[in-house]
Amino acid sequence: MVFLVKRLCCALLDLTLLFSLSTAVCGAAENGYSSIPGSLRPTTDTDTGAFTSAQMAVEVVLAPTNGQEISSLLADLYNTSSQNYQHWLQKGEFYSRFAPDSGQTAAIEAYLRASGLQVEPTSSPFLLRVSGPSSLIENTFKTSLHTYRNPRGVTYYSNSSEVQVPQSLASAVLGVVGLSNTVRLHSLAAEPNRRTGPPVPGCETPYVTAAQLFNYVDNGVGFPYGYGGGPACTGLTPSQDNAIYGAPDLGPQAQGAGVNLAVFELSAYQHSDIAAWTSYFYGAGFKAPLVDIIVDGGPLNPVCPMNDQCPAAYEGYAGDVEVDADIEMQLSISPAAQHILVYNAPNDYTGQTELDEYTRIAGDDTADVVSSSWGECENDAGAAYAEAENLIFEQMALQGQSLFSAAGDTGAFDCIRSDGTTIVNVDDPATQPWVTSVGGTSLESFNPNDNPNPTYPAGVETVWNVDDLCNQSANEGGTSSQPLSGFFWCAATGAGGGGNSQFWGRPSYQDGPGITNRYTVYGPTNCALAQRGQPCREVPDISANADPYTGYAEYCTGSAATPNSQCTFSTSLTPVGWFQIGGTSLSSPLWSAIIADHDSYWRRRAGNVNPLLYFLYNVNSQEFFNDITGIHQSTNNNGLFPTTPGYDMSTGIGTPKMKALITLSPQR
């Protein structure tokens, strides 16, 4: 009888609502549901019971029309032998060619509305925002929402079973963002311990020792340190950055002239900080070409999705250290840039505002080169969020936009700071196939002091892992009653991120010596979105200095007028506002600016640079990159993955030789 009623219901549906509506509603009843691959986030966290909400919003990620054509077009535009090489799509062309099929979209909307949910479009044709009570959300996607508590005591909600959609719609839905609120992006900037103790003559000090760090953590005994030519030895200066990595002396033509750089941000900042930094290094007449672009109200006036969280502590100036560092680093390498576009959205818990910001960057198609120093471990991001990002990043790659992202600051264990777990994990979005992942190195014993033009310290640069303390050992300092583990130091002093993606298969461009190694794993067992037997995506692609103890000079201030500022501290040992900064948050904008200089020199967009970088790696690696080998070095891993000659999952294919990369002429 129930079957007959359903059939009658379907027969009487108004045909003006499209045949797709009956397919969606009735087909679900007759043909069942399909699970979305990767939609269950694995966890060992404590399940504390059901999650309920009177109203919440999620975003359904829609598949593009002719998805295979996207892959073919990417291969064509990045093939140097193709007549279409670097013939980038024009603004808006990606949507006109690949936006989801209108009939399928109508069918999905019909199914969602018939389930009792409200549906509205977003700024992206690939995302539908859906809202309603959590009970209807659960019923619509045939899953249950539960509340969990992680080892740090942080609670969150997430779906406890796979997400399902009607079989007739399954091919058109890639995932649902917002069923978990673990997408809590954090800055990947790293600061050394606050400078303590009396200054030493000349203010320069040797590299920090394990004994000093143990004494600081165990007994609270600080130590003085100083590095580079910044005010009061607060880090490397722009001239030192360029000299160490061999920038060419070609003037504005190779310093970003005519190029629009962009930074992805989730915090307010002060233009006055940037002005003070540029005035010190470039003179009072230099004016930074800053353009602020606010998305979803930005961090000062957040417009947060329904039942999502944009906590007050995450907003305001809560990441001003990051924003200032990103801008100042890009200006160090590309002082002649046409604009520095500062995109800014609220920092939320489900990733929806971040997707809005990336969508805006791609839709504007103004930025030639983009750097993002905000991320989270893939395990917290989830497959649906990663799929939604991937569509945006494919759009950017087809438009010729270059995108760089920090690979992480806790070695091979990227979730340590976010949820306290020590599983082997890497950072999103740096693992995305159409993002250039930038890892971290250290200059260790090399201190250029105040020499404005130091040469590269061949054989010294190694992977960032302070005193080799980040590892899987059980005892790395501490007291007999409270020993510290190597994992403690991964979080406390940091290490360059790297490893295998749990989602993505290895892109075709990622090929060369060392890339297939004893740590290589294969899909779909180890990377859920890969083909069977396909190696997983490995990161980082490239690296640069990121050790906070061999870091860069930053200027950032805070006051009562900048709520949540991370720059409100001051010390009598350094001039107010100046301090030393590191993290892959710095190596990412550094590399982005190098490619901006490349674009400036060649007067055209390079697009995603991974195909170019791996090509150069294969044909003449030693001329374009400093290979971080780990040979004769005590620090030779990122906590798990070793540095080796050639590619490795600690430092990628190496650090930059700027002149060669900018001019594509080997350094002599």
Side-chain angles (χ1 to χ4, degrees):
M1 181 66 181
V2 172
F3 176 79
L4 291 175
V5 170
K6 289 176 180 174
R7 296 286 293 189
L8 180 61
C9 166
C10 295
L12 295 176
L13 280 171
D14 186 349
L15 293 180
T16 60
L17 294 178
L18 298 175
F19 174 73
S20 57
L21 175 56
S22 63
T23 302
V25 178
C26 306
E30 294 181 26
N31 300 323
Y33 289 77
S34 293
S35 297
I36 298 176
S39 58
L40 179 60
R41 175 185 176 273
T43 183
T44 57
D45 294 341
T46 303
D47 187 337
T48 62
F51 169 81
T52 60
S53 174
Q55 286 288 318
M56 64 183 297
V58 299
E59 291 184 342
V60 179
V61 186
L62 305 180
T65 299
N66 302 322
Q68 285 301 114
E69 187 184 338
I70 293 178
S71 299
S72 299
L73 185 59
L74 282 165
D76 194 28
L77 267 57
Y78 285 90
N79 180 358
T80 55
S81 299
S82 169
Q83 62 181 2
N84 296 317
Y85 178 63
Q86 293 192 344
H87 287 190
W88 310 123
L89 297 188
Q90 298 301 304
K91 180 177 179 179
E93 189 176 354
F94 184 81
Y95 288 169
S96 66
R97 292 179 63 169
F98 301 112
D101 176 80
S102 59
Q104 284 281 49
T105 300
I108 294 167
E109 291 182 356
Y111 169 71
L112 296 169
R113 290 194 174 98
S115 300
L117 299 173
Q118 293 185 325
V119 184
E120 58 181 320
T122 68
S123 57
S124 168
F126 299 99
L127 296 171
L128 287 177
R129 183 158 287 148
V130 180
S131 59
S134 59
S135 58
L136 287 183
I137 297 284
E138 289 176 309
N139 186 61
T140 300
F141 298 110
K142 306 305 175 191
T143 189
S144 298
L145 298 176
H146 282 215
T147 302
Y148 297 87
R149 184 175 61 250
N150 71 25
R152 291 190 178 277
V154 176
T155 60
Y156 63 91
Y157 64 81
S158 185
N159 54 297
S160 61
S161 59
E162 290 184 316
V163 176
Q164 300 181 58
V165 293
Q167 288 178 355
S168 58
L169 305 177
S171 64
V173 177
L174 297 178
V176 182
V177 174
L179 294 176
S180 172
N181 68 341
T182 58
V183 189
R184 308 176 183 190
L185 272 64
H186 56 273
S187 159
L188 294 166
E191 298 174 53
N193 300 320
R194 295 282 184 246
R195 187 177 297 189
T196 57
V200 296
C203 76
E204 304 289 354
T205 60
Y207 190 71
V208 62
T209 66
Q212 287 176 313
L213 291 168
F214 291 168
N215 199 22
Y216 175 77
V217 171
D218 296 344
N219 305 309
V221 177
F223 52 90
Y225 62 85
Y227 188 79
C233 307
T234 49
L236 297 172
T237 68
S239 66
Q240 291 177 324
D241 302 338
N242 284 274
I244 288 172
Y245 286 128
D249 185 15
L250 298 173
Q253 177 189 2
Q255 294 179 336
V259 177
N260 289 318
L261 287 99
V263 288
F264 171 97
E265 303 296 351
L266 299 170
S267 171
Y269 74 105
Q270 298 184 91
H271 282 228
S272 57
D273 285 343
I274 309 303
W277 184 92
T278 57
S279 178
Y280 184 88
F281 288 118
Y282 296 139
F286 185 97
K287 181 174 175 57
L290 302 173
V291 178
D292 294 326
I293 302 169
I294 302 301
V295 178
D296 293 343
L300 294 180
N301 299 287
V303 178
C304 206
M306 188 183 304
N307 197 56
D308 192 359
Q309 292 172 272
C310 298
Y314 275 38
E315 309 306 334
Y317 295 79
D320 54 356
V321 165
E322 180 62 70
V323 186
D324 284 9
D326 290 345
I327 295 170
E328 291 167 8
M329 177 53 74
Q330 287 191 338
L331 288 171
S332 292
I333 308 298
S334 299
Q338 181 171 345
H339 296 110
I340 305 289
L341 309 173
V342 185
Y343 284 87
N344 234 323
N347 196 350
D348 75 338
Y349 274 8
T350 68
Q352 295 179 66
T353 57
E354 287 81 2
L355 289 177
D356 288 347
E357 182 171 339
Y358 280 125
T359 296
R360 177 69 183 274
I361 295 171
D364 286 352
D365 194 17
T366 304
D368 303 302
V369 184
V370 184
S371 177
S372 172
S373 295
W374 299 78
E376 72 286 292
C377 67
E378 280 190 319
N379 211 47
D380 289 342
Y385 180 75
E387 289 265 35
E389 285 182 315
N390 181 55
L391 286 170
I392 302 170
F393 301 154
E394 286 179 327
Q395 176 185 351
M396 294 173 69
L398 287 171
Q399 293 172 168
Q401 295 176 286
S402 307
L403 177 58
F404 295 80
S405 181
D409 291 354
T410 53
F413 318 103
D414 199 67
C415 297
I416 286 179
R417 288 180 180 167
S418 61
D419 62 23
T421 58
T422 56
I423 58 173
V424 177
N425 218 252
V426 286
D427 200 79
D428 175 88
T431 54
Q432 291 276 345
W434 292 101
V435 172
T436 301
S437 174
V438 188
T441 59
S442 172
L443 298 175
E444 282 205 340
S445 60
F446 172 72
N447 191 332
N449 302 313
D450 59 358
N451 177 3
N453 297 298
T455 57
Y456 178 74
V460 174
E461 188 175 24
T462 186
V463 61
W464 166 33
N465 183 353
V466 179
D467 293 317
D468 208 26
L469 290 174
C470 172
N471 54 59
Q472 295 176 299
S473 75
N475 191 343
E476 288 285 330
T479 63
S480 57
S481 59
Q482 289 186 314
L484 299 174
S485 70
F487 293 126
F488 168 85
W489 293 106
C490 295
T493 50
N500 294 284
S501 172
Q502 73 179 54
F503 297 134
W504 302 108
R506 182 185 295 172
S508 60
Y509 60 72
Q510 191 168 41
D511 181 58
I515 292 172
T516 296
N517 55 72
R518 66 190 178 101
Y519 296 100
T520 296
V521 296
Y522 298 84
T525 304
N526 295 287
C527 39
L529 303 178
Q531 299 297 316
R532 184 168 302 279
Q534 181 183 10
C536 299
R537 164 90 161 113
E538 296 178 1
V539 292
D541 296 304
I542 32 79
S543 294
N545 176 40
D547 186 344
Y549 287 101
T550 63
Y552 306 89
E554 176 171 356
Y555 185 88
C556 184
T557 61
S559 68
T562 56
N564 303 325
S565 171
Q566 296 178 339
C567 297
T568 54
F569 63 86
S570 63
T571 170
S572 60
L573 303 177
T574 61
V576 173
W578 290 98
F579 54 91
Q580 197 164 306
I581 194 75
T584 52
S585 276
L586 280 296
S587 56
S588 178
L590 185 153
W591 261 98
S592 74
I594 292 173
I595 298 306
D597 294 353
H598 170 100
D599 287 4
S600 174
Y601 182 84
W602 290 98
R603 294 182 173 85
R604 64 173 183 266
R605 287 181 173 182
N608 181 278
V609 295
N610 286 349
L612 172 63
L613 296 178
Y614 283 94
F615 172 78
L616 297 174
Y617 169 63
N618 279 286
V619 299
N620 204 348
S621 176
Q622 70 274 16
E623 296 291 352
F624 292 92
F625 308 100
N626 303 299
D627 186 12
I628 311 303
T629 66
I631 297 174
H632 306 306
Q633 295 178 330
S634 59
T635 304
N636 55 18
N637 66 83
N638 73 338
L640 177 61
F641 300 109
T643 47
T644 64
Y647 180 88
D648 56 67
M649 286 187 276
S650 281
T651 61
I653 56 181
T655 61
K657 292 185 176 180
M658 286 177 60
K659 180 180 179 181
L661 288 164
I662 291 168
T663 66
L664 295 184
S665 299
Q667 260 181 182
R668 299 296 183 189

